[in-house]
Amino acid sequence: MRADDHRFLLSRVHALYPDAYRYHAQTNEDASAVVAGATPELFLSKQGNTVHLQPLAGTVPGSLTKTEAEKQLQTPKYLEEHNLLVEFMVSRLHTVSTDVIVAAEPSIVSANNVWQLGTPIRAELQESVSMATLVDLLHPSPAVCGVDQARASAFISGVETARGYYGGLIGWLTPEGDGELYVALRGLEIDDCQHHVTLRAGGGITAASVPTTEFAETRTSSMPCGGWWASRRDVSESR
């Protein structure tokens, strides 16, 4: 991938999703492979002993009005999906925190081209709890794995192809151990040596899930990534 292609991809992501957490990183030394995207989800932000999170789960198309989205998301399936995630994060945080404050109910969050349920969480950590300890406790969360974590992880490993960087964490850290981490969703991996682009998307599967609805959700989630790649291809072919 040429340097101007890198710049073009970044500019497209910035232009299309100015309010998202945008990321772009090379994954090998010669920059022939990169991962890039615009994730809506802050995994955690740590400053001193204070941690902020806003887990997102439950997704409907962004073409809906906020009122329409709220009506769809305030249903048992989406509330269960979201509550499983929040309960997991809160229960894990309690093991290393002196105080955990959780919003009384989820809010409707505009996340790129979709609406999602989000619940702000703040925790005051015990002394000497590191970012590495938090990642060990909280990742992979039910948003990218499942409940029970161990059983879900084993099942996913048996039925899915390798996820690569999808669903991992990306962000920044300071020498003092503060920083922000984001869930690497709504992105793509470009490998110029292998001449392929990989787009990944997923849905929150519960007992109440309808397969056609979940498939539609994955298509909606992956559409922006296809748009970035199509734009890059069109410009490259016009040169």
Side-chain angles (χ1 to χ4, degrees):
M1 178 181 280
R2 296 177 295 188
D4 53 352
D5 288 329
H6 277 266
R7 289 191 292 269
F8 179 75
L9 179 60
L10 271 176
S11 69
R12 286 291 294 163
V13 174
H14 278 257
L16 288 169
Y17 303 107
D19 298 324
Y21 301 106
R22 303 175 298 275
Y23 61 92
H24 178 277
Q26 69 182 58
T27 56
N28 60 6
E29 291 185 0
D30 64 4
S32 63
V34 299
V35 58
T39 178
E41 187 161 355
L42 172 67
F43 182 73
L44 67 87
S45 172
K46 180 179 181 294
Q47 184 170 9
N49 290 330
T50 302
V51 171
H52 292 274
L53 308 88
Q54 189 180 32
L56 302 177
T59 306
V60 295
S63 57
L64 300 176
T65 67
K66 186 174 183 179
T67 300
E68 292 170 335
E70 185 170 14
K71 184 178 180 180
Q72 286 197 23
L73 287 169
Q74 294 293 337
T75 55
K77 188 272 177 186
Y78 290 115
L79 290 173
E80 179 190 20
E81 177 187 342
H82 185 72
N83 289 339
L84 285 170
L85 172 59
V86 173
E87 289 169 4
F88 174 91
M89 304 297 263
V90 170
S91 65
R92 295 293 179 96
L93 284 170
H94 271 300
T95 66
V96 293
S97 303
T98 59
D99 191 25
V100 179
I101 301 171
V102 188
E105 58 184 31
S107 56
I108 308 299
V109 178
S110 177
N112 296 352
N113 64 320
V114 298
W115 295 98
Q116 292 189 290
L117 290 171
T119 296
I121 302 170
R122 189 185 81 201
E124 295 299 324
L125 301 173
Q126 301 165 7
E127 292 296 327
S128 303
V129 177
S130 68
M131 185 73 88
T133 296
L134 292 171
V135 170
D136 283 342
L137 276 174
L138 303 174
H139 185 74
S141 76
V144 294
C145 185
V147 178
D148 166 272
Q149 186 190 63
R151 290 176 61 195
S153 179
F155 176 79
I156 289 168
S157 297
V159 299
E160 286 190 15
T161 58
R163 289 185 176 183
Y165 294 92
Y166 176 77
L169 300 177
I170 192 165
W172 56 269
L173 301 171
T174 69
E176 295 75 27
D178 295 334
E180 292 187 351
L181 296 175
Y182 316 99
V183 186
L185 303 173
R186 313 287 166 80
L188 49 79
E189 296 174 34
I190 303 172
D191 188 330
D192 280 3
C193 291
Q194 299 296 323
H195 305 293
H196 68 237
V197 177
T198 303
L199 287 72
R200 299 184 189 277
I205 308 301
T206 72
S209 290
V210 177
T212 53
T213 302
E214 298 295 348
F215 182 71
E217 179 181 321
T218 62
R219 291 192 63 184
T220 299
S221 298
S222 64
M223 281 173 62
C225 308
W228 310 335
W229 173 250
S231 299
R232 173 177 178 263
R233 182 192 61 198
D234 292 344
V235 169
S236 296
E237 289 177 351
S238 68
R239 290 174 179 149

